[in-house]
Amino acid sequence: MGDLGQETCNESFMMDKLGKIFVAGHRGLVGSAIVRKLHELGFENLVLKTHKELDLTRQADVEKFFSEEKPKYVIVAAAKVGGIHANNTYPADFIAINLQIQTNVIDASYRNGVKKLLFLGSSCIYPKFAPQPITEDALLTGPLEPTNEWYAIAKIAGIKMCQAYRLQYKWDAISGMPTNLYGPNDNFHPENSHVLPALMRRFHEAKVSGAKEVVVWGTGSPLREFLHVDDLADAVIFLMDKYSDFPHVNMGSGIEVTIKELAELVKEVVGFGGELKWDSTKPDGTPRKLMDSSRLASMGWNPNISLRDGLVDTYKWYLENYIQ
């Protein structure tokens, strides 16, 4: 696989259970799932730092951390994330903070002898009108979605930085682009959460209050793809073990559901007995957003968690951790 494939296959990631691994952003939705999966697989030497302990936007602090800790592997799951409102309100934060985090971590990793690094991005890196399903080759072929271009441009820079270090230094830096994620540690905030946790919270609150109906924006016709974060964590470890090449890799389930189907399923899992109504005067958003994850599938990885099972798991976590 590519210019570094032979060299990196000499010692597989999965066989190196004592190798020191730094998971940047270990408290977030993605990072916490990766840590859970690593522990489950018997990896014992994890280096985890909270934002208070290590501010990844501060170059000197990051360089000091890497020179002292000398991790062997790095997974970059740290990022400033948010919905449309946050992206529109804080564009400078979204571009600057994400560029700072990834530049500091990627460069310090290379300069301190990290053997392999995986950088995680997002499906929003692709052009707004990319052909569906979206292949990796669609990157930089058209204008971005204006509501999240600041975040997207930072993430594109991260992919290109990994590729540049691979080209110039023959260093094993790879990138993965996840689809819409959900699961334990998701953001259920009433104003800035994504569609799936927002629906779950609304149906739960309607059930508790005894409301007779829940009104959802749009017609319910747009198609979306979802991947449980534990499946993503499994895919991350798969790529760390098996993949060493120049192109970034899409990481999705390959399964689409309409927003209507999703809402009905969440309603059922939560146990809301009232009516679900659609406000078709409100916008639907992009009609379809599906990633082509055939490159990952061709390597031998496929998701294991069905949407229903994933929703049950997520609602259980929500009840145990989010209800005040």
Side-chain angles (χ1 to χ4, degrees), residues 113-185:
V114 166
K115 182 182 177 185
K116 185 165 193 169
L117 176 142
L118 170 61
F119 171 73
L120 287 166
S122 158
S123 60
C124 75
I125 61 165
Y126 292 114
K128 181 174 183 175
F129 300 110
Q132 303 284 327
I134 308 169
T135 64
E136 287 90 350
D137 295 340
L139 186 65
L140 297 176
T141 58
L144 298 163
E145 163 57 52
T147 56
N148 60 23
E149 67 175 321
W150 316 105
Y151 176 76
I153 285 170
K155 287 297 181 182
I156 292 167
I159 296 170
K160 291 299 173 186
M161 192 169 176
C162 288
Q163 291 176 342
Y165 276 60
R166 176 176 281 274
L167 285 172
Q168 186 171 335
Y169 300 120
K170 302 291 183 277
W171 181 51
D172 198 5
I174 60 173
S175 299
M177 299 300 117
T179 187
N180 300 309
L181 301 169
Y182 72 100
N185 278 320

Side-chain angles (χ1 to χ4, degrees), residues 174-227:
I174 60 173
S175 299
M177 299 300 117
T179 187
N180 300 309
L181 301 169
Y182 72 100
N185 278 320
D186 209 337
N187 173 18
F188 291 88
H189 190 277
E191 278 146 37
N192 59 21
S193 56
H194 292 115
V195 61
L196 192 153
L199 284 171
M200 187 166 283
R201 180 182 181 124
R202 289 185 65 195
F203 281 121
H204 173 78
E205 289 177 349
K207 179 177 86 168
V208 170
S209 69
K212 293 201 166 28
E213 65 179 39
V214 167
V215 179
V216 182
W217 278 24
T219 64
S221 64
L223 289 157
R224 292 291 181 270
E225 174 188 27
F226 296 96
L227 183 69

